[in-house]
Amino acid sequence: MDTKLITEITDWMKTTDLAEFCYENKGDCIEVKTQEALPEPTQFTCSLTPVTSPAIGIYHAAAKGKNLVLKEGQTIEEGAALGWVETVSQKHQITSPVSGTLRVVTAQEGAAVEFGLPLFFIEKK
Amino acid sequence: MAGKLNITPFKKVLIANRGEIALRIIRTLKEMGIASVAVYAEADRSSLHVRMADEAVCIGASPSPLSYLNIDALVTAAKLTGADAVHPGYGFLSENEDFAKAVTKAGMTFIGPTAEAISMLGVKSTARAIALKAGVAVTPGSNGIVGKDYRQVARKIGFPIMIKATLGGGGKGMRACLKEADLDRMMKTAQGEAKANFGDDRVYFEKLVLNPRHIEVQVAADNYGNVVAFAERDCSMQRRHQKLVEESPSPFVDAATRAKLQEAACKVIKAAKYRGVGTVEFLMAPTKEFYFMEVNTRLQVEHPVTEAVCGQDLVKMQIQIAQGEPLTLTQKEAARVRCHAIEHRINAEDSEHNFAPCPGTVEEWIPSGGLGVRVDSHMYSGYTIPSYYDSLIAKLIVTAPDRTRLLARSRRCLAEFVVGGVKTTIPFHQKIVNEPDFVAGNIDTGLIERMMAKEKKERES
């Protein structure tokens, strides 16, 4: 195998916008594909930090008789209480993993939530 | 029939399990018109049981202690989805009395025996005492936990003996002691294993039956004292106490012995006031004498073998019993042997390398088919087997009118089964169905180890 040829082609390809280059010697066949011709991979990125439910259960913002208002746009400190998920025999506290701004609140008082369900999205400071 | 019928039909059942058994239960629920709820750990999000159930909820992170063994999460899931009963499947919490209690306490029905029955039969020494009282033979042994006088107890039983953990299972905390000189050392090993695996180092002794067969009897008992026993399953093909092949009826058991086995199984079940489906396990000596070993208080992996032989849906029976329905099956109907059946447990394991687990992506999945074939599996092409759980990927159940035709069909099925991307135990099953001793029905619990030793010797020479 002509490794020199391979190195030359690779170096040359770097100077072009080609994504694929096929070459056959006998029968003279060249096939090229540009970057645009390739299907673009779908990628979602989220700059917000999700806070997910630590258990399957019922979400409560605060203990009975107490009130905790969580509004989109409010500032949250790391470790701040974000409510509880109550199971048949336990209570799992939810705290903010980061300091920042509360951007999305999906948690609803008294709603059933499953493990891993995003309850909040926080924009990190 | 004693007592008034108290029947509460279920509307929705939560399956506290995963994999093929979750699918198996969902299928019967669908046929019965009962809604199903699947639960899953994060690693099982793309599992078939999640797709096939009417509802599915995520109960926890992938390691089973955080999900499939998490009583709190399972009971919460059942409450939140409005299930009126919980089916535990096998493994995980199926024989856990605390789980049965928690489900009942939350106002739902546990599809299985009562917590008391699980607790009584779960401790092997208590189970033995129940069998003895019912007049069923048990292997001579210590009849309870051994104390400081263990040397005298062992001498009285006579060597060889088996040291077993009180809370043991799956071959853990179990040690054979062939002669008195090894006793101290084997005691220490067994107790250490028992402590590490079950958090309890209590052990008991049993006489070791040489070259035994593992014969078990499927039973069903309702709330009204009716008990039926089915044709036995021969589960002697084991590797390190893990069953690989189960067949029914046993090629070793004749009609008279079969009737005796069924009678003994019914006696134990009645004495324990057991309700639900269950399995009574016996150890059978080459003389056809048999001894009670234990009761499995759940549906077993190998239940389809019995389903094939008797033509009944055992999961349906289990649900009907839990709903309070009386058994409609007579002992004569239950004991009927319609065909010969075998189950091959196909695991994602490399049988060439000491059965090491091989999790990975199943790139190609072409299960066997045709007459007399049933494949219970949760696999599909592109499915990734998580490394967190056991390695069972399919149960191949083959039936035929007699054993000769059965083995021919098994060979055909194993040859056409294609699993791409992961190593499986299929090649080992092919060796089993071609092994002269197996073909002749000369099976005992040591046969697989002998096959492997022979193979190793051949490789080395």
Side-chain angles (χ1 to χ4, degrees):
Chain A
M1 184 178 270
D2 191 348
T3 46
K4 205 174 152 234
L5 181 68
I6 296 172
T7 319
E8 270 178 27
I9 291 172
T10 337
D11 285 344
W12 163 74
M13 270 185 78
K14 281 178 193 161
T15 66
T16 69
D17 71 338
L18 292 183
E20 267 182 47
F21 177 76
C22 303
Y23 169 65
E24 241 182 63
N25 198 358
K26 285 165 199 155
D28 282 335
C29 178
I30 292 174
E31 200 180 307
V32 289
K33 240 180 221 172
T34 60
Q35 290 287 2
E36 286 101 314
L38 290 180
E40 225 167 86
T42 331
Q43 267 182 356
F44 295 103
T45 50
C46 180
S47 58
L48 303 178
T49 305
V51 183
T52 60
S53 173
I56 182 166
I58 301 282
Y59 173 78
H60 292 294
K64 260 186 195 161
K66 287 191 180 162
N67 202 13
L68 176 69
V69 182
L70 294 162
K71 274 189 187 156
E72 289 172 3
Q74 82 179 66
T75 311
I76 289 285
E77 291 302 317
E78 186 182 331
L82 292 173
W84 304 83
V85 171
E86 201 174 342
T87 67
V88 286
S89 61
Q90 285 171 38
K91 276 182 178 175
H92 300 264
Q93 194 177 17
I94 308 161
T95 52
S96 176
V98 291
S99 296
T101 313
L102 200 52
R103 284 295 174 209
V104 184
V105 177
T106 60
Q108 284 181 331
E109 177 59 34
V113 293
E114 60 181 349
F115 175 85
L117 186 81
L119 302 174
F120 305 95
F121 289 93
I122 298 165
E123 189 181 351
K124 209 172 153 185
K125 197 154 58 184
Chain B
M1 194 177 296
K4 217 179 108 200
L5 293 188
N6 184 10
I7 302 169
T8 330
F10 301 143
K11 289 189 186 75
K12 198 190 259 189
V13 171
L14 178 134
I15 302 112
N17 217 302
R18 62 179 298 282
E20 69 84 18
I21 193 60
L23 283 183
R24 163 73 192 88
I25 297 160
I26 292 168
R27 285 182 172 131
T28 286
L29 289 171
K30 276 190 200 292
E31 288 177 19
M32 294 178 78
I34 301 171
S36 53
V37 183
V39 294
Y40 62 96
E42 271 181 322
D44 273 338
R45 199 170 284 276
S46 55
S47 254
L48 224 44
H49 77 286
V50 175
R51 281 204 233 167
M52 211 192 259
D54 295 312
E55 281 174 65
V57 283
C58 184
I59 50 162
S62 304
S64 33
L66 301 174
S67 46
Y68 299 109
L69 292 172
N70 185 342
I71 295 179
D72 183 49
L74 288 161
V75 176
T76 304
K79 285 295 272 182
L80 290 182
T81 52
D84 32 36
V86 174
H87 196 303
Y90 57 66
F92 294 126
L93 295 169
S94 60
E95 290 177 286
N96 185 305
E97 52 170 308
D98 293 335
F99 184 48
K101 265 187 214 156
V103 169
T104 315
K105 198 181 151 206
M108 296 170 289
T109 306
F110 179 78
I111 302 178
T114 58
E116 295 75 48
I118 297 175
S119 147
M120 242 173 23
L121 295 168
V123 180
K124 290 181 183 170
S125 43
T126 325
R128 267 172 69 90
I130 291 172
L132 271 173
K133 217 174 144 192
V136 173
V138 298
T139 40
S142 56
N143 292 331
I145 296 145
V146 290
K148 282 188 181 131
D149 62 338
Y150 66 85
R151 189 170 293 278
Q152 283 86 329
V153 176
R155 257 186 220 144
K156 208 178 145 201
I157 300 164
F159 289 90
I161 63 159
M162 198 73 173
I163 308 171
K164 289 183 171 186
T166 303
L167 298 180
K172 291 197 176 97
M174 221 158 130
R175 276 286 175 276
C177 180
L178 300 179
K179 50 186 191 298
E180 195 175 337
D182 299 339
L183 187 60
D184 289 334
R185 191 164 51 89
M186 289 302 178
M187 256 311 257
K188 269 200 195 113
T189 322
Q191 283 177 325
E193 261 185 45
K195 183 86 190 157
N197 286 294
F198 313 108
D200 184 334
D201 67 356
R202 289 177 299 167
V203 296
Y204 63 96
F205 292 164
E206 257 179 38
K207 187 164 180 68
L208 183 60
V209 180
L210 292 170
N211 302 323
R213 278 174 174 79
H214 175 119
I215 304 284
E216 57 183 36
V217 179
Q218 175 76 54
V219 293
D222 65 15
N223 297 346
Y224 312 99
N226 305 305
V227 182
V228 291
F230 300 86
E232 77 290 340
R233 294 187 290 251
D234 192 322
C235 309
S236 306
M237 295 302 278
Q238 307 181 351
R239 183 188 157 266
R240 296 189 183 165
H241 303 281
Q242 297 289 334
K243 295 167 187 167
L244 280 174
V245 171
E246 301 98 342
E247 68 172 299
S248 179
S250 165
F252 184 61
V253 173
D254 52 49
T257 313
R258 179 164 307 130
K260 276 189 213 162
L261 277 164
Q262 286 166 350
E263 196 195 340
C266 287
K267 272 187 190 168
V268 174
I269 290 304
K270 278 184 183 157
K273 294 196 174 63
Y274 188 84
R275 164 200 94 186
V277 307
T279 298
V280 186
E281 294 189 341
F282 297 98
L283 207 61
M284 190 173 275
T287 55
K288 285 200 173 66
E289 279 168 314
F290 57 85
Y291 307 102
F292 167 82
M293 279 201 295
E294 59 176 314
V295 179
N296 290 137
T297 59
R298 55 169 154 81
L299 184 73
Q300 280 192 285
V301 177
E302 60 271 29
H303 76 276
V305 174
T306 300
E307 290 186 323
V309 171
C310 73
Q312 299 286 331
D313 180 339
L314 289 172
V315 173
K316 187 176 175 187
M317 206 177 284
Q318 201 177 18
I319 293 167
Q320 285 172 328
I321 291 168
Q323 289 184 148
E325 289 177 50
L327 280 172
T328 49
L329 202 66
T330 62
Q331 175 55 40
K332 203 179 158 196
E333 285 164 340
R336 203 171 141 222
V337 179
R338 296 163 75 241
C339 61
H340 211 106
I342 191 166
E343 175 181 275
H344 297 278
R345 291 195 194 187
I346 297 171
N347 295 341
E349 288 171 1
D350 186 356
S351 51
E352 304 284 314
H353 292 97
N354 214 20
F355 292 82
C358 286
T361 301
V362 177
E363 269 142 27
E364 200 174 17
W365 180 253
I366 309 171
S368 328
L371 182 64
V373 181
R374 166 177 173 183
V375 177
D376 276 18
S377 171
H378 55 298
M379 294 297 117
Y380 55 85
S381 293
Y383 174 76
T384 301
I385 305 163
S387 54
Y388 297 96
Y389 319 109
D390 76 4
S391 53
L392 180 78
I393 60 166
K395 302 191 305 204
L396 168 64
I397 304 107
V398 184
T399 55
D402 57 61
R403 196 167 188 265
T404 311
R405 277 183 271 182
L406 179 74
L407 295 185
R409 188 165 284 166
S410 255
R411 283 181 207 113
R412 186 267 291 172
C413 287
L414 289 164
E416 73 182 40
F417 209 131
V418 180
V419 185
V422 291
K423 295 247 186 198
T424 73
T425 48
I426 293 174
F428 195 76
H429 283 287
Q430 287 178 304
K431 281 178 199 160
I432 291 175
V433 290
N434 286 306
E435 162 69 33
D437 274 336
F438 183 79
V439 173
N442 296 329
I443 311 163
D444 64 66
T445 53
L447 180 55
I448 284 186
E449 296 295 336
R450 288 199 298 279
M451 276 174 65
M452 290 174 74
K454 194 173 88 184
E455 211 176 284
K456 198 179 163 202
K457 213 171 153 190
E458 279 169 7
R459 259 205 312 268
E460 281 165 2
S461 66

